Amino acid sequence: MRKTLVLVGAGLLTASVTACGGGTQASGGSKTLTLAESVTATPWDLAKASMGPEAQYYQPVYDTLVRLDSKGDATPNLATSWSYDKPQTTLTLKLRSGVKFTDGTALDAQAVKENLLHTKSGTASAAGEIKDITGVDVVDSHTVAIKLSHPSASLLPALGQVSGMIVSPKALTDPKTPVGSGPYKLDTSATTAGQTYTYTRNADYWNAKAFPYDKIVIKYMSDPTARTNALLSGQVNGGTLNLNRVKTVKGKGLNVATYQSGDVEGLFIWDRAGKKVPALGKVKVRQALNHAFDKQAIIKSAKTGLGTATTQLFAKGEDGYQAGLDTTYSYDPAKAKKLLAEAGYPHGFTVTMPDLSSFFPQEQAALDQALEDIGIKVKLDNVPGDQVFSSILSGKYAMSYFKLGAANAWDKVQLQLTKTSTWNPFKYGDAKSDDLISRIGQSTGAEREKLFGELNTYVVDQAWDAPWNVITYAYATAKDVKVTPQPGSQYPPVYNYSPAAKQ
C-alpha cells in the first residue's frame, strides 16, 4: 500500500502556535489528543476531497467501509465481509447492522450506493481512486454490489481511505458541517475553519474501544518550525518533523518514528511533448535531466542521509517495481551535456519553474544547481503557496520539483501516466503507454505484474520524469502517546494512536 498524492508542506499560511492544553490529559480527567497538520482541510463534500494528509480531518467523523491494518490490508469495518465474482468485476459487500449516522439516519445499502456514486462524480483525488466503478447495485438493505469496468486491485484499499468514507445521505452534497457515523463528531463551537478542528466522542459509535481518546484536536501548522516548537512545548501530541530536527526532538525525550510511505520526489517533467519548452519534447533532453542529479549527495545534504535513491516512480513493494531500473541513470553531468548537444541544445535552454524554496529550500537549491551545471538556465517564479497546485495543473510550468505518492502502483498510473491523469497537466501520452495501461487495467495476476514491469521500463527509458529518491518521513509524538505509522501514508490515521504504557 502507498499513499495518495501530496505535495507536502506547501501550506497556504504559516499558522501561529497557540496553547491548547495539548497533553494527553485534559480537564476533568478525559483524554485529549492534539495533532498538528501541515495542510489545510479540504471541503467536507467528499466529491471534492483530497487523499493526502487532509484525510486526518475526515477520519474522526467519516467511517470507512473497510479498515486498513498496519500492513495496509483490508479488514472489516462498516462492511463485515466481501467477495468478488469470478471475473473480479463485481465486489459484493455485506454491511454492519445497527449503525447510525449522528443525525439518526440508519446506515444501509442505499446510503452506501449514494455515497460511492457521489464521491466518484467529483474531480479530486478521492474521486479518482474509484473512477473504475461503473455502478452500485442494492442487493438488499445491507448488501451492495459494486460494479467495475475491469478488475482492480486498488478498489479494496481505496474503500479503506477517503474514497470509502460514508456520509449521512441527508448531508451528502455540500455539507456545511460533516455528518458521519464515525467515532467522533465535529464540535463547531470549538472549531475555527482553516485553523483548529475539535472533535468529541460519538456516544453511539459501535467500536468505541478502538478509539481511546475522548477528544481529538487538529491544528493547521504549515510551518515546520512551529510544529517542532509545539511538540517540544507539549502544545501538540503529534506531528511531522523535518528530518534535520529528528535528533533534537529525540534528545528531548519525545518518540520519533521514521518510515517510507512510497512517495517519490525529484524533478517532474510536465511538458513531455515540448508544447511550452520545445527541448523537453526530445527524449535525449529528458534523459540528460536524469543524469544531472547526484541523488546520494541530495539525500545526504537535504535528507540527513535518510532516503533511498531511485530512478522510477514505483517504490519497492509496488507492482512493476524493478530494482535494476535504478541504475539506468548515473550521476554524469558530462553525459548530460553530450545528450543535450545530440538533441540540438549544446548550450542548454531556459526554463521557468515555481520557486518552492520557502517550503523546500535544500531541494530547490539542489535542483537549480544541478540544472545550471549542465547548462540549463532556470528562471524562478515566485508563486504564493496557495497557488502552487493550481499553477502546475493549469500548465503554467513545464517542469518543477514535486513529490508524488499513491495508494498503489495502479493509482500512481491513474494520477500521472494517463492522458486524463490529474497530474499530467499537458495530457501527454503515446500509443505504447496507452496500450500497456489499457492491458494492465484488464489483466490480473502474473500477466498484470508483467505488464506493469513493461510500463515501468518504458517510462524510465523515455525519461518521463527525473526522480531522485523514495522519501523517508519522520513523525514525532509526546512521551505518553504511542502511534503506528501506516503503510502508504505520510500521516498515521487517527485509529493508530493510543496512550503509551507507563514505564
Side-chain angles (χ1 to χ4, degrees):
M1 289 287 297
R2 300 289 181 242
K3 71 176 280 301
T4 298
L5 173 142
V6 56
L7 177 57
V8 185
L12 309 186
L13 298 169
T14 299
S16 60
V17 181
T18 56
C20 60
T24 302
Q25 294 295 325
S27 60
S30 63
K31 296 173 183 174
T32 298
L33 177 69
T34 303
L35 306 175
E37 263 278 9
S38 66
V39 299
T40 55
T42 48
W44 296 115
D45 182 351
L46 296 183
K48 302 174 182 176
S50 298
M51 292 284 294
E54 301 95 328
Q56 238 184 18
Y57 293 103
Y58 298 131
Q59 289 163 353
V61 288
Y62 293 151
D63 216 354
T64 50
L65 287 168
V66 302
R67 173 67 45 79
L68 301 182
D69 66 15
S70 60
K71 296 181 180 179
D73 297 327
T75 64
N77 199 46
L78 290 179
T80 57
S81 63
W82 50 86
S83 61
Y84 276 102
D85 63 352
K86 189 173 182 179
Q88 298 188 51
T89 54
T90 299
L91 176 65
T92 300
L93 303 175
K94 294 287 186 180
L95 304 176
R96 188 174 300 278
S97 300
V99 176
K100 289 187 177 182
F101 298 100
T102 53
D103 63 3
T105 305
L107 171 77
D108 59 14
Q110 183 62 31
V112 171
K113 174 181 179 178
E114 291 176 13
N115 269 266
L116 291 175
L117 295 181
H118 175 70
T119 299
K120 177 183 180 292
S121 71
T123 58
S125 55
E129 291 281 303
I130 55 174
K131 70 178 184 179
D132 296 329
I133 294 177
T134 58
V136 181
D137 294 342
V138 174
V139 179
D140 59 42
S141 63
H142 281 76
T143 309
V144 294
I146 303 172
K147 306 292 185 178
L148 294 167
S149 58
H150 55 76
S152 174
S154 65
L155 178 60
L156 264 176
L159 298 182
Q161 301 179 78
V162 176
S163 305
M165 290 180 175
I166 306 300
V167 181
S168 170
K170 295 180 180 179
L172 191 58
T173 58
D174 197 26
K176 298 298 184 290
T177 58
V179 181
S181 63
Y184 300 91
K185 300 183 292 185
L186 183 71
D187 181 354
T188 55
S189 67
T191 294
T192 302
Q195 297 181 30
T196 302
Y197 297 78
T198 301
Y199 307 85
T200 56
R201 275 197 183 278
N202 172 8
D204 298 323
Y205 186 61
W206 65 273
N207 193 21
K209 290 183 179 179
F211 296 87
Y213 295 98
D214 296 323
K215 182 187 294 185
I216 293 178
V217 178
I218 300 178
K219 288 182 164 288
Y220 168 49
M221 295 182 181
S222 66
D223 188 323
T225 300
R227 291 197 302 274
T228 301
N229 290 340
L231 282 161
L232 293 174
S233 66
Q235 294 177 31
V236 301
N237 306 126
T240 58
L241 288 177
N242 278 6
L243 295 178
N244 61 6
R245 301 306 303 273
V246 168
K247 289 184 179 180
T248 298
V249 171
K250 278 186 175 181
K252 298 294 184 179
L254 275 68
N255 304 315
V256 179
T258 55
Y259 50 94
Q260 292 186 347
S261 66
D263 290 7
V264 174
E265 72 176 334
L267 175 66
F268 279 70
I269 304 168
W270 312 116
D271 184 20
R272 303 181 195 116
K275 294 179 179 179
K276 193 176 190 71
V277 177
L280 296 177
K282 296 184 178 294
V283 66
K284 286 189 175 182
V285 169
R286 300 196 301 270
Q287 290 172 340
L289 295 175
N290 275 268
H291 283 294
F293 300 105
D294 187 342
K295 299 169 186 177
Q296 294 296 348
I298 292 173
I299 292 171
K300 183 178 180 179
S301 63
K303 307 297 175 182
T304 68
L306 297 173
T308 303
T310 190
T311 302
Q312 53 195 309
L313 291 180
F314 303 141
K316 187 176 182 180
E318 294 180 344
D319 291 332
Y321 169 80
Q322 298 174 73
L325 287 176
D326 285 333
T327 61
T328 305
Y329 300 107
S330 60
Y331 172 54
D332 193 338
K335 187 171 184 178
K337 292 178 181 179
K338 183 174 182 292
L339 286 168
L340 286 173
E342 291 174 359
Y345 295 90
H347 304 295
F349 57 91
T350 299
V351 62
T352 299
M353 297 192 300
D355 184 0
L356 302 179
S357 55
S358 59
F359 306 111
F360 307 105
Q362 292 172 300
E363 293 86 347
Q364 186 70 59
L367 174 58
D368 299 346
Q369 187 62 55
L371 295 180
E372 180 181 328
D373 288 346
I374 64 170
I376 296 174
K377 182 178 180 181
V378 175
K379 292 183 177 180
L380 293 178
D381 187 21
N382 186 13
V383 56
D386 61 348
Q387 296 177 25
V388 172
F389 286 157
S390 59
S391 296
I392 293 173
L393 291 173
S394 70
K396 183 175 181 180
Y397 304 108
M399 61 187 196
S400 70
Y401 168 79
F402 200 67
K403 299 184 181 185
L404 180 73
N408 49 54
W410 179 247
D411 288 343
K412 281 185 177 176
V413 170
Q414 296 300 304
L415 281 166
Q416 222 233 342
L417 302 183
T418 76
K419 289 181 180 177
T420 59
S421 292
T422 300
W423 293 97
N424 183 8
F426 289 84
K427 305 309 174 189
Y428 179 78
D430 59 30
K432 184 168 182 177
S433 63
D434 291 346
D435 176 64
L436 285 169
I437 291 169
S438 176
R439 290 162 62 195
I440 290 169
Q442 299 173 29
S443 64
T444 58
E447 176 65 13
R448 187 172 188 268
E449 176 64 21
K450 174 178 173 292
L451 292 169
F452 254 120
E454 291 181 22
L455 176 64
N456 194 15
T457 299
Y458 180 69
V459 168
V460 170
D461 178 67
Q462 293 294 302
W464 280 23
D465 293 303
W468 299 345
N469 67 285
V470 180
I471 303 165
T472 294
Y473 287 115
Y475 195 89
T477 56
K479 296 178 184 179
D480 56 354
V481 175
K482 176 184 177 182
V483 68
T484 302
Q486 184 77 13
S489 180
Q490 182 204 355
Y491 281 71
V494 296
Y495 52 82
N496 279 9
Y497 295 82
S498 62
K502 294 183 179 179
Q503 301 296 320

